[in-house]
Amino acid sequence: MVFSLIRSISFLHSDIFRTKSVQTFIEIMEHSSASAETKMNENSIPSIPTVDYVTVPFNQTSSKVGFVDVGPREGPVVVALHGAPGGVQDFAELYGPLADRGIRFIVPEFPGFGRTTVEDTSAFDESTLARVNLVTNFLKVLNIKRVTSVLGHSMGAAAAFHLAANSDIVKSVIYVNGVGFSPQGNVRPYWLTCLWANLLENSWTKPVVSYFLSSAYALKGYDTSKIPMGMNVGIISVSRLGFEKHRENISRVKDRRLPVLSAFSKNDRLIEWNLPMEVVQFLETPDESISWFDSDEQLVNGRRIDNDAASFPWAVVFERGGHFVHRSHLSIMVTCIARFIERVHFASESQM
């Protein structure tokens, strides 16, 4: 039986491992350390601040959550949620600039990506809901009673919208290179991604599938000894994102009239730009509230980023920038986030 299983997966290795649904995770590994668009090397990415740890009760067990917390304690709070794979390093460029703008910027890391651990791993199923529940308890432990905005990058956008849709303490959403209403092209066919996830969760098949995933990584020319530990977790997380629930949460955010700032690029290789644009249109973002930037970071159409009189929702679309627009267009993104937070913070303070 085991021999038959290995032979079957060997067949998959020779054919299906060449499809986009597997290669996407390899591409994420390539992009998560540096933007392909800006061709950054490891030395050009700022080092992350000190990672702190806090024990968070979770689903009848506990989690030791690694997180970064910078900026003034009394400043408006922005909680950033990374994708899968991902981690606190994904926001390295934002820590200093946002803290300098008076924003308290908090980034917890989810289990499976190097820093955060769960005492009973079976209590955390890698779903969007599990992430939201962990973040909710994490904020309680830190005694955070108001979140001016929750920022979701890539797959983290699903958790960000879920948290905002179902929590009274969250006042807005920042949606960066986020997942849309349906699976992006490089995780299709989606049934195949779900198949890999099921095999990775089975104790019998996990070693074999992990081996062939490593082989696929090697075929792309990467050093297999440096494969990020979050690769397998990322596949499982994608399979449990819950796209229908994601749509419901975005709809609820819209119905609650929570401000949303969206940002993405037209050359994102991981999440094609029409998917976040569909979300932008669903939120009924006026054409004049969409800022379009060309490859030279020149505003070619739409809202000026210094227009304090403009309303929300607001979208910023870059011609180029890859999957990390907050990295490849740092100055513009810091300005947009700071202005957005200032407006949201002032509005929420005035309503108290």
Side-chain angles (χ1 to χ4, degrees):
M1 179 178 177
V2 174
F3 173 77
S4 177
L5 173 63
I6 295 175
R7 183 175 59 185
S8 298
I9 297 182
S10 297
F11 169 76
L12 293 176
H13 169 65
S14 63
D15 293 317
I16 298 179
F17 268 95
R18 292 185 173 88
T19 66
K20 284 186 176 181
S21 62
V22 172
Q23 292 185 17
T24 179
F25 299 101
I26 298 171
E27 291 180 1
I28 291 174
M29 297 307 137
E30 177 184 6
H31 286 62
S32 63
S33 61
S35 169
E37 182 62 27
T38 55
K39 304 295 183 182
M40 291 182 175
N41 58 46
E42 291 182 0
N43 293 329
S44 68
I45 300 176
S47 59
I48 62 174
T50 302
V51 176
D52 294 318
Y53 293 87
V54 65
T55 299
V56 177
F58 175 79
N59 199 17
Q60 298 183 335
T61 184
S62 64
S63 174
K64 185 179 180 181
V65 177
F67 68 102
V68 171
D69 184 354
V70 297
R73 303 300 89 177
E74 69 278 5
V77 174
V78 175
V79 177
L81 307 180
H82 64 77
V88 296
Q89 69 278 357
D90 289 351
F91 305 99
E93 293 81 0
L94 292 178
Y95 292 124
L98 292 185
D100 290 343
R101 296 286 191 114
I103 294 171
R104 183 178 181 184
F105 191 51
I106 305 173
V107 183
E109 188 164 283
F110 292 120
F113 301 104
R115 296 175 179 86
T116 295
T117 58
V118 179
E119 184 176 344
D120 178 4
T121 55
S122 65
F124 190 84
D125 65 3
E126 309 299 342
S127 66
T128 299
L129 181 59
R131 283 173 163 71
V132 171
N133 289 340
L134 182 61
V135 172
T136 299
N137 290 350
F138 166 76
L139 294 174
K140 289 179 180 178
V141 171
L142 292 190
N143 197 30
I144 302 295
K145 298 181 179 179
R146 179 188 302 179
V147 176
T148 303
S149 193
V150 55
L151 186 159
H153 173 250
S154 193
M155 272 191 58
F161 273 110
H162 191 122
L163 185 63
N166 299 281
S167 173
D168 291 333
I169 72 170
V170 177
K171 305 304 177 183
S172 68
V173 177
I174 301 174
Y175 172 56
V176 181
N177 291 105
V179 290
F181 294 134
S182 58
Q184 57 269 26
N186 52 17
V187 296
R188 296 197 299 261
Y190 191 53
W191 65 265
L192 185 56
T193 299
C194 295
L195 171 62
W196 299 136
N198 289 334
L199 292 174
L200 284 169
E201 291 187 293
N202 184 291
S203 59
W204 286 87
T205 56
K206 179 179 178 179
V208 181
V209 175
S210 296
Y211 167 78
F212 284 112
L213 280 172
S214 298
S215 298
Y217 196 90
L219 286 174
K220 293 283 286 186
Y222 300 111
D223 183 352
T224 56
S225 67
K226 297 180 180 179
I227 296 176
M229 65 183 301
M231 185 175 182
N232 291 352
V233 176
I235 294 176
I236 297 170
S237 300
V238 170
S239 73
R240 293 184 172 172
L241 186 141
F243 286 97
E244 286 301 317
K245 187 64 177 179
H246 184 40
R247 177 185 289 272
E248 291 176 14
N249 288 325
I250 294 175
S251 180
R252 181 167 171 77
V253 166
K254 176 185 176 182
D255 292 342
R256 294 182 62 190
R257 304 180 66 83
L258 294 181
V260 178
L261 168 62
S262 305
F264 51 93
S265 73
K266 294 176 68 175
N267 74 330
D268 188 337
R269 292 171 55 196
L270 301 183
I271 299 177
E272 53 268 41
W273 77 285
N274 64 292
L275 296 177
M277 178 56 76
E278 184 181 8
V279 173
V280 168
Q281 293 170 341
F282 177 81
L283 292 170
E284 298 181 356
T285 308
D287 290 342
E288 60 272 19
S289 291
I290 303 178
S291 306
W292 297 87
F293 286 90
D294 64 16
S295 56
D296 295 320
E297 293 193 337
Q298 298 299 309
L299 181 69
V300 295
N301 195 15
R303 170 179 173 172
R304 291 168 52 92
I305 64 174
D306 59 356
N307 184 356
D308 291 329
S311 60
F312 301 111
W314 177 20
V316 182
V317 185
F318 298 96
E319 185 68 25
R320 306 182 68 82
H323 192 58
F324 291 80
V325 294
H326 55 285
R327 177 176 293 162
S328 52
H329 299 288
L330 178 62
S331 179
I332 292 176
M333 286 299 297
V334 168
T335 299
C336 291
I337 291 172
R339 288 185 175 275
F340 179 74
I341 294 303
E342 183 180 6
R343 291 280 303 279
V344 174
H345 182 64
F346 176 80
S348 60
E349 285 285 323
S350 64
Q351 293 173 2
M352 291 185 62

